[in-house]
Amino acid sequence: MSAKVRIGIVGYGNLGKGVHKAIQQNPDMELVAVFTRREPETMKSASGEVLFETISRAEVYLDRIDVMILCGGSATDLPEQTPAMASMFSTVDSFDTHAKIPEFYEQVDAAAKSGGHVSVISTGWDPGLFSLNRLLAESILPEGTTNTFWGKGVSQGHSDAIRRVAGVKAGVQYTVPVEAVIDQIRGGETPELSTRDKHLRQCFVVAEEGADQQAIRETIVSMPNYFSDYDTTVEFISEEELARDHSGMPHGGFVIRSGETGDGTRQLVEFSLKLDSNPEFTASVLVAYARSAYRLKQQGQSGARTVFDIPFGLLSPKSPEELRKELL
Amino acid sequence: MSAKVRIGIVGYGNLGKGVHKAIQQNPDMELVAVFTRREPETMKSASGEVLFETISRAEVYLDRIDVMILCGGSATDLPEQTPAMASMFSTVDSFDTHAKIPEFYEQVDAAAKSGGHVSVISTGWDPGLFSLNRLLAESILPEGTTNTFWGKGVSQGHSDAIRRVAGVKAGVQYTVPVEAVIDQIRGGETPELSTRDKHLRQCFVVAEEGADQQAIRETIVSMPNYFSDYDTTVEFISEEELARDHSGMPHGGFVIRSGETGDGTRQLVEFSLKLDSNPEFTASVLVAYARSAYRLKQQGQSGARTVFDIPFGLLSPKSPEELRKELL
């Protein structure tokens, strides 16, 4: 057996902790260190012993880490961290600001090429596995309609938006796909749908004592970008209820393409996820793509890659011969 | 826009006709000729004008065809045709005798390399898209169980087996997944399942006049390999009913992986197809992979490839930039 793929984790929130646990499920990988902006000595491991390092010491690990898995946020962390790390290590990230992906790709590509490394950007499940299925389905069925549904699941961005409303102590927002619409599509119909038609938004809010609940509700449902374009429900609950019923991070969704071949023959392709933990699943995707980054670099490649550029065979620890024999 | 991908079709049964129609949905491709073992002048086009050629004249087209799509059967056609064609053209086929894939791969690989071409073997939906999803799901969720369900759909091999029974005039066999088992898995359970537990076999049989229906039924349900390991139903119908209710070729199925991440968190990945025409859908997959064979050869590659080796980006007529912008 060849040497293990040596992994570093940058950032140790829910996603970084998920990556830590996912590495332990993959015997061909080992975690070398977790890099953090916090004080390393204040950090607590999510699973067994681990070395914490301050992020500025990453370059000390140039020869000791094959792939850095970047677990920061897309708003401010990754635009800075991925290019910086990509010049020193192969990297994987889950950059998900769709509109900025082309620009991000160019920056990371230049950095990765400068260091001779491979950087897989924007992986996870959307962007990531859902993107792959959108591409696959439209390539096979050029005449058709693709729909993506998200949920039922917690949207971190929308939950944050709720919590910024005056009088709100805590809250969580679920994106919920409209079942009737999914059934319509599965039944072979191809309705024209806006995102609003396809999803509801459910908010569970803990109000500050004495806060005006009606005003909070109004502020939420009319919030532009986040809620005003959706059917939004707001339910007020206690802190205890929030902790008891809403502390998980479930998510999931569907990519469905309804297409036609030949003389109007209906064909339906669907990919779906039902996740009890969104960050742990995303982390598992990042780890599989870390394996591919390592192998591409071993092949002598360099530069940025997306899920569209990477054959699935490189995601598995199995050899091409094993894959053909066991899984084809 | 670059030149079109020039396609040849070998074999003009249901699959070959499906490929013909699929090419017409892809403006970056053109059909040059259909090669057949029958008399070319006796052939009828499934869709518009087309040139029929006798298969022995394939080599005349060396410089006029980029990719040959091989639409013969796996039992006797492809083991002979793919290696022969692979030395002259890039090829795509749907070779689906799972146990013989490793050997077939080696033969085709040698032939393709000898001619400097690329041969994509064993594509379609199973082997093909289902294989991809088995590989993806187990790579992301190393701890888990994958189940593949087929149907409801017509199995050509099993229908042929019925028709060989003495006293049977015509017949069709549907493979039917057991819904209760699928629901169990979707609900997060991971039962140990044999293929028998997961599928029923429904046979619709037209008996010869005066044939012993009870004997036919017994012969079918006890047939080894095909039916004896399954719960099999046999229903006798008239020729008119067969033509009216069973002339389509629907199929489909599911690949479901139920896995665990972290400390026992349940994660479910599912890919499903619901096809009104199995051969037309398989044909559409072959055509998308023909595009990838063409591109890989343009990159200077040669040899046999499976779906595991080919990034999805090569299946689409869109550029990498467009894909990142529109579909990621």
Side-chain angles (χ1 to χ4, degrees), chain A residues 21-22 24-26 46-47 98 101-102 105-106 121-122 126-136 138-143 186-188 260-278 280-281 284-285 288-289 291 306-318 320-321 323-328, chain B residues 21-22 24-26 46-47 98 101-102 105-106 121-122 126-136 138-143 186-188 260-278 280-281 284-285 288-289 291 306-318 320-321 323-328:
Chain A
K21 291 176 191 167
Q24 294 169 342
Q25 292 187 319
N26 288 278
S47 182
H98 282 81
I101 285 175
Y105 176 90
E106 296 300 334
I121 67 161
S122 300
D126 199 356
L129 308 192
F130 275 18
S131 322
L132 281 166
N133 277 278
R134 286 188 286 262
L135 169 53
L136 179 69
E138 88 163 33
S139 299
I140 290 166
L141 299 172
E143 295 176 13
R186 283 187 186 145
E260 282 187 6
T261 58
D263 309 314
T265 312
R266 180 69 51 191
Q267 316 276 21
L268 204 72
V269 180
E270 179 173 341
F271 179 79
S272 70
L273 295 173
K274 194 175 149 196
L275 311 174
D276 280 359
S277 166
N278 179 4
E280 283 185 10
F281 186 80
S284 296
V285 179
Y289 276 95
R291 184 179 288 119
T306 74
V307 291
F308 298 153
D309 307 313
I310 298 174
F312 283 11
L314 296 180
L315 304 177
S316 170
K318 294 180 177 168
E321 290 76 18
L323 293 178
R324 286 195 292 271
K325 192 158 179 245
E326 296 173 17
L327 292 174
L328 197 61
Chain B
K21 292 176 190 167
Q24 293 169 340
Q25 292 187 321
N26 287 278
S47 180
H98 282 82
I101 286 176
Y105 176 89
E106 296 301 335
I121 67 160
S122 300
D126 198 357
L129 307 193
F130 275 18
S131 322
L132 281 166
N133 278 279
R134 286 188 287 262
L135 169 53
L136 179 68
E138 90 164 31
S139 300
I140 290 166
L141 299 173
E143 296 177 13
R186 282 186 187 146
E260 283 189 3
T261 58
D263 309 314
T265 312
R266 180 69 51 193
Q267 316 276 20
L268 204 71
V269 180
E270 178 173 342
F271 179 78
S272 70
L273 295 172
K274 194 175 150 198
L275 311 174
D276 280 357
S277 166
N278 180 3
E280 284 185 10
F281 187 80
S284 296
V285 178
Y289 276 95
R291 185 180 286 119
T306 74
V307 292
F308 298 155
D309 306 314
I310 297 174
F312 284 10
L314 295 180
L315 304 177
S316 170
K318 295 179 178 170
E321 292 74 19
L323 293 178
R324 287 195 291 272
K325 193 159 178 240
E326 296 173 16
L327 292 175
L328 199 60

Side-chain angles (χ1 to χ4, degrees), chain B:
Chain B
M1 170 137 184
S2 56
K4 293 191 178 195
V5 184
R6 301 166 303 172
I7 305 286
I9 295 173
V10 179
Y12 204 63
N14 288 322
L15 184 58
K17 286 173 187 158
V19 168
H20 184 178
K21 292 176 190 167
I23 291 168
Q24 293 169 340
Q25 292 187 321
N26 287 278
D28 63 329
M29 303 200 164
E30 63 179 329
L31 176 60
V32 175
V34 173
F35 297 88
T36 174
R37 283 175 301 209
R38 287 177 278 171
E39 293 294 323
E41 50 275 18
T42 66
M43 301 291 291
K44 283 202 178 62
S45 169
S47 180
E49 226 170 287
V50 63
L51 174 65
F52 289 99
E53 276 281 14
T54 186
I55 194 167
S56 58
R57 277 178 46 83
E59 60 190 283
V60 175
Y61 288 81
L62 278 180
D63 297 325
R64 283 184 266 169
I65 285 176
D66 297 307
V67 185
M68 280 287 197
I69 302 183
L70 307 177
C71 299
S74 296
T76 56
D77 299 334
L78 297 175
E80 180 201 317
Q81 290 175 356
T82 304
M85 289 291 169
S87 63
M88 297 189 280
F89 306 93
S90 287
T91 68
V92 177
D93 69 47
S94 60
F95 183 77
D96 66 358
T97 311
H98 282 82
K100 294 190 176 166
I101 286 176
E103 178 192 343
F104 185 72
Y105 176 89
E106 296 301 335
Q107 286 168 2
V108 177
D109 189 52
K113 281 180 176 151
S114 78
H117 304 293
V118 172
S119 286
V120 182
I121 67 160
S122 300
T123 186
W125 59 274
D126 198 357
L129 307 193
F130 275 18
S131 322
L132 281 166
N133 278 279
R134 286 188 287 262
L135 169 53
L136 179 68
E138 90 164 31
S139 300
I140 290 166
L141 299 173
E143 296 177 13
T145 310
T146 304
N147 275 290
T148 302
F149 292 86
W150 296 274
K152 181 181 176 177
V154 175
S155 163
Q156 216 50 59
H158 288 78
S159 298
D160 289 346
I162 291 175
R163 292 190 283 257
R164 285 193 297 265
V165 172
V168 170
K169 192 167 184 185
V172 61
Q173 191 265 184
Y174 294 92
T175 306
V176 184
V178 180
E179 282 294 335
V181 174
I182 297 178
D183 290 343
Q184 218 183 341
I185 295 172
R186 282 186 187 146
E189 294 177 56
T190 51
E192 282 292 321
L193 295 167
S194 66
T195 304
R196 181 187 192 123
D197 297 327
K198 298 187 326 193
H199 300 91
L200 309 174
R201 297 201 175 276
Q202 284 179 344
C203 307
F204 295 91
V205 176
V206 181
E208 305 274 9
E209 210 165 309
D212 179 346
Q213 295 195 353
Q214 191 49 39
I216 292 174
R217 186 191 308 274
E218 274 307 311
T219 306
I220 292 173
V221 302
S222 59
M223 199 183 295
N225 299 320
Y226 287 92
F227 295 104
S228 64
D229 288 339
Y230 294 86
D231 289 336
T232 302
T233 62
V234 177
E235 190 175 327
F236 289 91
I237 60 174
S238 69
E239 268 190 292
E240 294 67 37
E241 287 169 317
L242 186 77
R244 187 189 66 206
D245 303 333
H246 304 282
S247 62
M249 279 169 286
H251 219 311
F254 312 80
V255 175
I256 306 179
R257 187 166 180 87
S258 177
E260 283 189 3
T261 58
D263 309 314
T265 312
R266 180 69 51 193
Q267 316 276 20
L268 204 71
V269 180
E270 178 173 342
F271 179 78
S272 70
L273 295 172
K274 194 175 150 198
L275 311 174
D276 280 357
S277 166
N278 180 3
E280 284 185 10
F281 187 80
T282 302
S284 296
V285 178
L286 295 184
V287 168
Y289 276 95
R291 185 180 286 119
S292 74
Y294 172 74
R295 289 178 173 175
L296 288 169
K297 174 165 171 167
Q298 282 204 311
Q299 291 174 10
Q301 300 194 28
S302 71
R305 297 287 185 278
T306 74
V307 292
F308 298 155
D309 306 314
I310 297 174
F312 284 10
L314 295 180
L315 304 177
S316 170
K318 295 179 178 170
S319 71
E321 292 74 19
E322 287 173 305
L323 293 178
R324 287 195 291 272
K325 193 159 178 240
E326 296 173 16
L327 292 175
L328 199 60

Side-chain angles (χ1 to χ4, degrees), chain A residues 5 50 69 92 104-105 115 139 152 177 200 217 225 243 269 288 291 317 320:
Chain A
V5 184
V50 61
I69 302 182
V92 177
F104 184 72
Y105 176 90
S139 299
K152 180 181 176 176
L200 310 175
R217 186 190 308 273
N225 300 319
V269 180
R291 184 179 288 119

